[in-house]
Amino acid sequence: MPMDALENSSVQELLILLKQRHIEALDVLYPMYGLAFYRYARHHHLTHEDAEDVVQTIFCRLLDRIESYDEGREGGERWLWRICHNQVIDCLRRQKSSQLPNAEMLVGEFDPDAYLIDQEQVNAFARGWAALDESDRTELKRGRGRGLGRKAWHAAVVKLRDLCRFEE
Amino acid sequence: MTLENVHNKGFTKRARAHMQSMDQAAKDLQRALNLSPEMKYKIVSFLAHTEQAKKASSEEELSAKTPVADEFASLHFLKPELANERPPSSFADLRSPKKSSHKRVWFRSLAAILCVVFLVGAFALVLQMVHQSTSEGSSPPGLYTATNNSVSRLGDKNGHLTTLWSYTLSAPWTEQRIAEYNKSIHRSASAWTTFIDSPVTVSGNIAYFGGNADDPNTHQFHHYLYALNATNGILLWRYQIDGGKSGIPSPVFLQNGQLSTFSLEPGTVTGPPQVAQDLVYILVASKPYALPQYSPSYSIVALDRETGSVHWTTHYFADLSQMSVASDGSMVYTTDANLLMAFNGENGQKQWTKEVSRPNNYSGFFDLHLVNQTILATLSTYAPTDPTSTSSVYAFAATTGELRWESSRINGLISPLMIDQDEVYFGSETGTIAALSLQSGSLIWSYRTKPSEAIVSVKESGGVLYADFTQSGPLQQNLPSKLSLLALDAHHGTLNWKTSLPGTYQSSLMTLGWNESQLIIGNSFLYASLSDGTICSLSISRGLAISCDQLTQDHTIPSLTLIEGSAG
């Protein structure tokens, strides 16, 4: 299925596509909700590691349940957020009540400076990514690999870093 | 496992692997480039599809030029319409997925309006319920009658009565039940049935009355205060008067092996229950006054009007007693022979006692009223065979018991007092109807019927005084008689009209036929209860009988309580 068509689909349509085993729908859903779910978990005082795990678990649960997804009743986004909320609550319950989050774990209020830095990073990454060769992108998509990592991946990363020109 | 399940499992596995590889690749990049943890999820979008990421990057550039102070603005750069969305901060947010800012505002406005409507409605409902449960004005209209063993609410349509509901204490006894009872008490008794003890008092949406009921297992009678839902007649609660909480002795007593039915049984609610504020007050005869070896005593019991739980109880000795409660519940007044007593309405503590002289030892207060901080009481000779019996009306200050005035002596017993703004009306068994000044007790006017015509009760409405009377006085017990009705000008005592009621009237001192609940005025009608269990509705202008309905065959005089208004 063309990516343009996927990107113009609603969440409900994406979930239906996923239910029909169009794995490409996940390429839209995961980027679309990964960060939102991560922030939601962090907002509930989960650590970065726990929040990452929760996001993974949310999508695993989504895939487990996608067969029983009832588009007529469940809605789209609401269904996703319910899974997210349940997973966050489960994670919180698993934690010992005495284990209070320390200050570093907590997500503070909106920080304009951090936001701008984030935006700069995104913009820089986007510039670098756009300038990167397709072969390097493919290498980066494949991932670093086990152990010391693949040489091709390292080479692509160096290129990307140069292209991004991240400010120190 | 079906083939379909196998396929599903395979797809899930592939999808997981795809997602995890995408996540891992983004994580590798985020670490390698030393970016913030959140960047991982942004990198994922670039890894997932290059073309869209290009578009996103250009949008990011634009947004970077005009930064919006919204940390979530960059969350959904793949779908601009989601850019304003935030993750829910609570589970409640999940119930209303946010589609757009416009829709969100619309939904919030609608929700706010619904909330306001709901709150206003709930508030009005609570107000209405409180009003219904506490105010006299919200009592369900109708004519409430108490006969031998049942209480009914009657609706009135142009003078014709229809039964809206009826509550019966218990069915009449069967022959077997009578035989069992006789065996248990080792004597022969006639059919014993349950009785209503008192007239009905309706306050708010509750109808209160006293009555007894027998326990089939123990063959014991118990007296109760009943509280019914006045709208539908369903029992809300009943308080067992004898034994238990109040400490009043067993209700059935034997006098020389005979069951005494003449005297008031212990536990009998005497007079109508009276409601003030949150309490309902009852006067209970706690020991048989006909038993010489016991000092007859009474109890005042104050109960929560909604639940029937006892607030306080107090006992005092008296031969024959009446009770009147201040409308604010601050004081409770009772009588004992020639004594007037005042109790604190909140705790039952006796406040003061006032004694008046009496012509003989058989005299006592018969009637007690509280009007505008003035207590009015009738002192009569209650020896039924005394031909020289007289009556007097007394007025006391409600706060101190100070005697304000005493009327001149009136021959014979007198009916319960009827009090309006400035006058006190009553009728005597010797055929006199009189009006006294409420301020001074002086006689304003008097009207004489035939000496053989005993006035049973008087009622005033709209400047007209109505009186029902018999041709044979209460002293001539058990003689059938006609009941008549007359109407006088309440200010001058001149006769307007006179008429006879259908049926017969059998007066009886034993049942205290001097019952102020026998003549009721309201809804532009007169209602009179007769001794054969009949209630007649009459036109108020001429006393013409419109309808007569026999409620019971038990030859008891129904007591009447009227809540004005249309009740079908």
Side-chain angles (χ1 to χ4, degrees):
Chain A
M1 180 168 285
M3 188 56 78
D4 285 351
L6 283 175
E7 285 159 1
N8 291 324
S9 303
S10 68
V11 177
Q12 199 168 14
E13 287 167 343
L14 289 170
L15 290 170
I16 293 168
L17 286 170
L18 198 61
K19 188 177 177 181
Q20 293 169 352
R21 300 175 193 167
H22 291 279
I23 207 165
E24 313 89 80
L26 202 58
D27 292 345
V28 179
L29 282 171
Y30 189 72
M32 191 185 288
Y33 285 97
L35 181 58
F37 292 163
Y38 171 83
R39 285 184 170 172
Y40 185 72
R42 293 282 282 157
H43 188 77
H44 282 76
H45 303 169
L46 293 182
T47 62
H48 163 67
E49 288 74 18
D50 285 341
E52 274 195 321
D53 288 347
V54 162
V55 174
Q56 285 281 313
T57 313
I58 290 166
F59 281 93
C60 288
R61 297 291 291 169
L62 184 155
L63 292 170
D64 289 341
R65 294 182 183 178
I66 194 67
E67 274 302 311
S68 60
Y69 169 67
D70 184 349
E71 56 271 23
R73 287 177 52 195
E74 310 277 8
E77 202 171 5
R78 194 171 76 174
W79 189 66
L80 286 173
W81 278 113
R82 182 172 290 132
I83 294 174
C84 169
H85 178 80
N86 291 339
Q87 291 305 317
V88 170
I89 296 299
D90 281 354
C91 185
L92 288 170
R93 283 179 183 155
R94 280 195 300 272
Q95 292 180 345
K96 290 179 183 174
S97 58
S98 58
Q99 189 182 342
L100 294 173
N102 58 41
E104 292 173 0
M105 296 176 182
L106 300 180
V107 174
E109 293 299 311
F110 172 68
D111 181 355
D113 291 339
Y115 168 78
L116 287 174
I117 292 169
D118 259 17
Q119 284 297 91
E120 284 170 3
Q121 287 186 349
V122 170
N123 293 336
F125 187 89
R127 281 195 301 271
W129 188 262
L132 204 61
D133 293 339
E134 188 60 40
S135 58
D136 291 327
R137 287 182 195 164
T138 307
E139 285 301 324
L140 293 175
K141 281 182 189 178
R142 288 177 62 191
R144 180 174 175 273
R146 294 172 185 272
L148 295 174
R150 296 179 298 108
K151 284 184 182 176
W153 180 85
H154 282 288
V157 167
V158 170
K159 284 183 187 173
L160 181 63
R161 186 183 292 123
D162 292 342
L163 290 169
C164 289
R165 301 187 301 277
F166 290 112
E167 293 178 9
E168 293 298 325
Chain B
M1 186 178 284
T2 63
L3 191 62
E4 183 72 8
N5 285 340
V6 171
H7 285 168
N8 285 344
K9 203 169 178 181
F11 168 73
T12 306
K13 198 173 176 181
R14 278 190 292 117
R16 273 192 185 195
H18 178 70
M19 180 190 68
Q20 282 165 354
S21 70
M22 198 160 47
D23 184 81
Q24 187 59 49
K27 197 170 182 176
D28 292 342
L29 267 178
Q30 176 248 324
R31 284 182 176 170
L33 299 173
N34 198 23
L35 300 175
S36 65
E38 289 189 2
M39 273 298 290
K40 181 184 87 171
Y41 296 99
K42 293 174 184 175
I43 293 170
V44 166
S45 65
F46 290 89
L47 301 183
H49 32 83
T50 310
E51 294 304 314
Q52 187 58 35
K54 280 181 186 173
K55 200 197 302 180
S57 67
S58 63
E59 285 173 4
E60 287 294 317
E61 282 173 6
L62 284 173
S63 66
K65 288 172 188 170
T66 54
V68 182
D70 187 345
E71 61 175 323
F72 295 101
S74 62
L75 272 180
H76 303 298
F77 49 83
L78 288 174
K79 293 182 77 66
E81 68 273 20
L82 297 176
N84 289 325
E85 289 191 9
R86 290 169 181 271
S89 57
S90 70
F91 188 65
D93 291 353
L94 304 182
R95 299 176 192 281
S96 54
K98 298 151 190 170
K99 298 296 180 190
S100 69
S101 125
H102 175 73
K103 284 184 180 176
R104 193 164 62 233
V105 169
W106 192 86
F107 275 121
R108 281 180 180 172
S109 304
L110 184 65
I113 290 167
L114 287 175
C115 281
V116 168
V117 168
F118 175 76
L119 287 173
V120 169
F123 184 66
L125 190 66
V126 168
L127 273 183
Q128 189 185 4
M129 286 171 69
V130 168
H131 187 66
Q132 269 187 349
S133 63
T134 57
S135 68
E136 185 70 27
S138 63
S139 297
L143 187 64
Y144 296 81
T145 65
T147 58
N148 214 353
N149 69 339
S150 67
V151 168
S152 303
R153 177 185 167 212
L154 309 177
D156 183 337
K157 196 167 187 179
N158 300 324
H160 297 277
L161 300 173
T162 53
T163 303
L164 299 176
W165 55 256
S166 188
Y167 183 87
T168 303
L169 291 186
S170 66
W173 282 18
T174 61
E175 291 296 325
Q176 184 185 358
R177 179 78 178 87
I178 294 169
E180 285 176 5
Y181 186 72
N182 287 344
K183 192 177 175 183
S184 69
I185 62 171
H186 307 294
R187 63 172 295 277
S188 176
S190 58
W192 190 279
T193 184
T194 52
F195 290 103
I196 304 289
D197 293 335
S198 74
V200 182
T201 296
V202 184
S203 177
N205 194 31
I206 302 178
Y208 303 93
F209 63 93
N212 64 14
D214 65 306
D215 185 334
N217 298 320
T218 62
H219 298 302
Q220 285 276 304
F221 281 93
H222 294 285
H223 287 263
Y224 298 91
L225 174 68
Y226 290 83
L228 305 183
N229 183 321
T231 303
N232 51 30
I234 292 172
L235 179 68
L236 298 174
W237 51 263
R238 68 175 189 177
Y239 167 71
Q240 186 177 322
I241 295 167
D242 37 19
K245 299 174 191 171
S246 66
I248 297 167
S250 174
V252 175
F253 65 94
L254 297 173
Q255 186 178 11
N256 300 323
Q258 299 284 313
L259 270 172
S260 173
T261 57
F262 179 80
S263 306
L264 293 174
E265 279 190 333
T268 302
V269 176
T270 59
Q274 297 181 44
V275 179
Q277 302 294 337
D278 296 329
L279 300 179
V280 54
Y281 301 82
I282 51 172
L283 182 64
V284 177
S286 55
K287 281 184 181 175
Y289 110 93
L291 284 178
Q293 64 268 40
Y294 295 110
S295 297
S297 67
Y298 282 78
S299 296
I300 305 168
V301 185
L303 308 104
D304 186 289
R305 60 180 293 178
E306 300 285 347
T307 64
S309 60
V310 177
H311 274 232
W312 56 262
T313 305
T314 191
H315 301 258
Y316 62 93
F317 295 103
D319 287 338
L320 195 62
S321 190
Q322 288 78 34
M323 178 180 73
S324 186
V325 181
S327 59
D328 61 358
S330 59
M331 298 289 278
V332 179
Y333 303 96
T334 63
T335 61
D336 166 25
N338 57 334
L339 294 177
L340 178 66
M341 295 173 286
F343 297 87
N344 185 315
E346 293 176 357
N347 54 31
Q349 296 289 318
K350 188 184 278 188
Q351 301 294 300
W352 48 259
T353 302
K354 180 71 181 177
E355 185 175 5
V356 298
S357 61
R358 55 178 176 172
N360 55 53
N361 288 339
Y362 301 105
S363 297
F365 286 116
F366 254 70
D367 192 27
L368 189 65
H369 295 269
L370 178 62
V371 179
N372 298 334
Q373 293 297 307
T374 300
I375 302 166
L376 290 161
T378 303
L379 188 84
S380 297
T381 306
Y382 50 76
T385 54
D386 184 0
T388 62
S389 63
T390 57
S391 299
S392 299
V393 180
Y394 289 81
F396 304 91
T399 50
T400 61
E402 178 193 0
L403 181 64
R404 287 185 172 162
W405 52 260
E406 176 188 353
S407 74
S408 54
R409 294 275 170 86
I410 304 138
N411 288 330
L413 304 176
I414 63 173
S415 69
L417 303 177
M418 173 72 210
I419 304 155
D420 74 356
Q421 287 293 100
D422 302 313
E423 283 104 21
V424 180
Y425 306 98
F426 59 86
S428 76
E429 64 170 335
T430 56
T432 299
I433 300 170
L436 305 181
S437 163
L438 181 60
Q439 289 297 319
S440 63
S442 58
L443 182 69
I444 298 174
W445 56 257
S446 68
Y447 176 86
R448 286 194 64 83
T449 61
K450 294 174 187 172
S452 61
E453 293 177 332
I455 310 300
V456 177
S457 63
V458 294
K459 284 287 157 62
E460 190 270 343
S461 176
V464 179
L465 187 74
Y466 303 89
D468 52 351
F469 59 96
T470 66
Q471 274 78 47
S472 58
L475 301 182
Q476 299 165 281
Q477 293 179 32
N478 304 323
L479 294 177
S481 170
K482 294 292 285 184
L483 187 69
S484 300
L485 192 65
L486 60 78
L488 303 174
D489 183 308
H491 301 299
H492 305 99
T494 54
L495 180 68
N496 287 351
W497 49 261
K498 196 173 184 179
T499 186
S500 291
L501 296 175
T504 57
Y505 182 87
Q506 184 172 317
S507 61
S508 167
L509 188 65
M510 187 178 76
T511 56
L512 295 182
W514 299 65
N515 188 336
E516 62 183 316
S517 303
Q518 290 172 8
L519 186 66
I520 296 286
I521 303 166
N523 294 343
S524 303
F525 292 98
L526 281 163
Y527 303 96
S529 60
L530 309 181
S531 59
D532 59 356
T534 299
I535 297 175
C536 288
S537 50
L538 308 116
S539 69
I540 203 165
S541 57
R542 294 288 302 161
L544 299 174
I546 296 168
S547 170
C548 286
D549 301 282
Q550 190 164 18
L551 297 185
T552 173
Q553 303 285 341
D554 293 333
H555 298 286
T556 54
I557 305 166
S559 69
L560 308 177
T561 303
L562 180 70
I563 303 295
E564 287 197 71
S566 174

